[in-house]
Amino acid sequence: MVDRASDSHRAFIDAERGVARSVQGARGARVESETYTSALIALADLTSLRAETAIALGDLDGLAADSAVTFAPDEEVVAARALVLDLVSEQDRALADLWEELRR
């Protein structure tokens, strides 16, 4: 699950630069313009990549819940969950910054 989250995070980081260019190009554009629409689509695609990372987090949450119910905490699951949560949080911040940039 960590590998899957890391792969989707790399894809997110790779795509983020292009999305940032698209958003910068759309800054101040009219909402109905093609430039603005393209930026929205780019942001939606980036959000989909974030969802891939979040799916891995959800799977780890399920494992953590299972281990908690059986009173058998698994430190590897806890560590993996923390790592993936950091990736998702980083992606959330990046998306929030891009949305803020588009609204300027």
Side-chain angles (χ1 to χ4, degrees):
M1 286 175 241
V2 172
D3 288 343
R4 189 173 74 205
S6 294
D7 289 347
S8 63
H9 184 68
R10 271 191 294 281
F12 182 97
I13 296 301
D14 290 346
E16 183 182 5
R17 186 170 295 136
V19 174
R21 280 192 302 271
S22 181
V23 165
Q24 287 172 341
R27 239 177 73 186
R30 296 172 53 104
V31 175
E32 60 276 349
S33 71
E34 186 173 329
T35 305
Y36 195 89
T37 302
S38 293
L40 288 176
I41 291 169
L43 280 165
D45 290 343
L46 195 61
T47 300
S48 292
L49 291 172
R50 183 241 179 239
E52 291 297 317
T53 310
I55 288 169
L57 180 60
D59 292 344
L60 287 164
D61 284 344
L63 289 176
D66 289 345
S67 67
V69 169
T70 61
F71 301 105
D74 187 335
E75 294 304 317
E76 288 181 20
V77 171
V78 171
R81 186 188 175 285
L83 186 134
V84 175
L85 181 60
D86 286 345
L87 297 178
V88 171
S89 295
E90 181 182 331
Q91 292 173 0
D92 286 343
R93 285 188 300 276
L95 283 164
D97 290 347
L98 288 167
W99 278 105
E100 182 63 31
E101 178 77 20
L102 184 61
R103 290 184 192 108
R104 290 186 192 163

